[in-house]
Amino acid sequence: MAGPTETRGMARPAEATRTTPGPSPAAVALTGLTALAVAVGIGRFAFTPILPLMQQDAGLSVAQGGWLASANYLGYLVGALSAMGLRVRPATATRVGLVLIGLATLGMGLEHRFAAWVALRWLAGVGSAWVLVFASAWCLERLAPARRPLLNGAVFAGVGTGIAVAGGACLVLMQAGASSAQAWTSLGVLSLAGTAVIWRAFGADADAGVSEGRPATARGLSLDADSLRLVLCYGAFGLGYIVPATFLPVMARQVVSDPSVFGWSWPVFGAAAAVSPLAAALWGRLFGNRRLWMLAHLVMALGVALPVAWPAIGGIVVAALLVGGTFMVITLAGMQEARALAGPRAAGLMATMTSAFALGQIIGPVSVSYLVGAGTDFSRPLLGACLLLVASAAVLWISIPGAPPACSGGGTRASRRSPRSDAPAASSARSPAG
């Protein structure tokens, strides 16, 4: 069976279809978890726990930190926009993105020029968007027949897992007196190792059964009023959470200078983001994804404003729990809404939402650079982010009453869309039995 002969060449595709069923649902979930851990935990947010080290040994200012963060988010926006039109296998785009993240992260430890840092953070952002969009679509499509919402939650728990691992590694490195360059190098090696572990899972066989092995893109995707509402609210989420997600360790360091204390703020954020998607996968079945999304915006708004009302390490840690705990809840609910609304063209809507999210992330750190300037008072950007999250929660709330309960089976347009809000993404065709 090893190495078919030339005379059997014509039968080979049929044999491959029969003998290569693809990875199991659990393997798909673990693969997605690892991919998102590298893409978001390291590719996007390794900068957050390393920023205090860069301030200490490289003299980086808060404003410069804001520009480096925005460079990463600009790359994320470019990656999300390009994902709308890429006609490649999801596995191929995911692999390219993972390698790009690993090399760019490693390069941050080898380069010392600010301009090079900007370019490298931009490249990491492009790779992060590709992995998030294509790995999410790849996983959700393969997990849909399993109808096991906890596996969907496990995929998105990868983000928090990556954040917690990166934050924990930086905490250990800070206590050991390591430099920011050593921290970047360590996380770059870690991301490449994670990529090597899941490389084969994203092989050609894993794309068997997908039409032409190509993702649905935004071509031909028309945004109706409801889709546009999702896009705008997801963009508001990107702007609302990004201030604490970028500067939380910096705010903690202003209160307590001991790294063994302030360094815990980011691992706490990541741990909350790792656990919450598992609970959210079940809550989405009880409350509906859109209602869950709206409630998560309100809880996040409270967490964003808390350091202003309680400017102490306790307030910052609780804020890390609230923002970290809702960050991936909103991501999971939003992606499942896109999957339920757009069906086989979900990757296009996901990419559009991710683009809006990325645009919000760019505006956030830049606004901090202008509002904070040379100072260290984050009150105004935090309060502005809080108000935006509350406003977007209101927009989501307005859209909920029009949708009937999941058990309703009428033939109106609203009824046909009911699974979008009341069932997880695993139900792509019809709502599962309650």
Side-chain angles (χ1 to χ4, degrees):
M1 299 295 284
T5 62
E6 187 176 357
T7 57
R8 295 179 181 175
M10 295 181 65
R12 185 170 56 193
E15 291 179 8
T17 301
R18 287 196 308 270
T19 60
T20 310
S24 67
V28 169
L30 287 174
T31 299
L33 184 151
T34 305
L36 295 192
V38 172
V40 184
I42 295 178
R44 282 175 54 206
F45 288 128
F47 176 70
T48 301
I50 297 178
L51 179 54
L53 285 174
M54 297 182 77
Q55 288 180 304
Q56 180 177 327
D57 60 37
L60 203 69
S61 68
V62 170
Q64 287 177 315
W67 284 110
L68 282 179
S70 292
N72 181 255
Y73 304 144
L74 178 60
Y76 192 77
L77 174 61
V78 171
L81 291 172
S82 64
M84 295 183 191
L86 283 178
R87 303 295 293 174
V88 297
R89 293 176 182 270
T92 300
T94 301
R95 279 177 161 181
V96 172
L98 288 170
V99 171
L100 198 58
I101 291 164
L103 295 179
T105 304
L106 194 63
M108 289 292 293
L110 303 178
E111 267 291 346
H112 303 285
R113 294 169 295 174
F114 185 77
W117 286 344
V118 170
L120 289 169
R121 295 306 294 152
W122 184 87
L123 288 172
V126 172
S128 296
W130 285 352
V131 176
L132 181 66
V133 171
F134 289 106
S136 296
W138 184 87
C139 291
L140 291 179
E141 182 174 357
R142 283 156 182 77
L143 292 176
R147 296 181 181 275
R148 292 162 66 182
L150 279 178
L151 292 181
N152 290 345
V155 171
F156 288 91
V159 171
T161 302
I163 290 173
V165 169
C170 288
L171 178 61
V172 171
L173 290 169
M174 283 190 291
Q175 290 178 325
S179 66
S180 59
Q182 291 171 320
W184 281 116
T185 303
S186 300
L187 292 182
V189 170
L190 183 62
S191 64
L192 290 173
T195 298
V197 169
I198 60 174
W199 187 265
R200 291 190 64 185
F202 283 112
D205 289 343
D207 279 315
V210 179
S211 177
E212 297 183 356
R214 292 177 177 180
T217 70
R219 293 177 182 175
L221 176 68
S222 59
L223 292 179
D224 60 12
D226 203 33
S227 299
L228 183 60
R229 184 182 293 113
L230 298 188
V231 171
L232 293 176
C233 289
Y234 208 71
F237 157 50
L239 178 56
Y241 95 101
I242 198 59
V243 178
T246 302
F247 296 104
L248 201 65
V250 174
M251 289 187 279
R253 186 169 179 259
Q254 291 174 0
V255 178
V256 179
S257 59
D258 186 356
S260 64
V261 178
F262 80 77
W264 279 102
S265 60
W266 195 240
V268 166
F269 182 102
V275 173
S276 58
L278 301 176
L282 300 177
W283 292 339
R285 296 175 67 93
L286 297 174
F287 304 116
N289 286 320
R290 192 163 306 201
R291 185 174 283 105
L292 180 62
W293 185 353
M294 181 270 297
L295 291 172
H297 268 222
L298 294 176
V299 175
M300 178 177 284
L302 175 62
V304 168
L306 198 58
V308 180
W310 186 8
I313 191 64
I316 291 171
V317 169
V318 175
L321 284 171
L322 295 179
V323 178
T326 51
F327 166 54
M328 287 314 300
V329 171
I330 297 171
T331 302
L332 177 60
M335 293 298 103
Q336 291 191 148
E337 284 282 276
R339 169 69 183 166
L341 175 59
R345 302 197 66 80
L349 182 54
M350 287 179 183
T352 306
M353 292 168 62
T354 303
S355 299
F357 178 86
L359 185 59
Q361 287 187 138
I362 295 170
I363 297 172
V366 171
S367 67
V368 169
S369 300
Y370 283 105
L371 292 174
V372 174
T376 56
D377 185 5
F378 290 90
S379 298
R380 285 187 292 174
L382 287 172
L383 291 176
C386 172
L387 292 175
L388 183 63
L389 287 166
V390 171
S392 57
V395 172
L396 288 169
W397 172 255
I398 291 171
S399 72
I400 293 173
C407 58
S408 116
T412 65
R413 176 172 173 167
S415 327
R416 289 195 303 268
R417 287 186 175 180
S418 61
R420 181 187 64 239
S421 297
D422 296 306
S427 57
S428 57
R430 61 180 182 273
S431 179

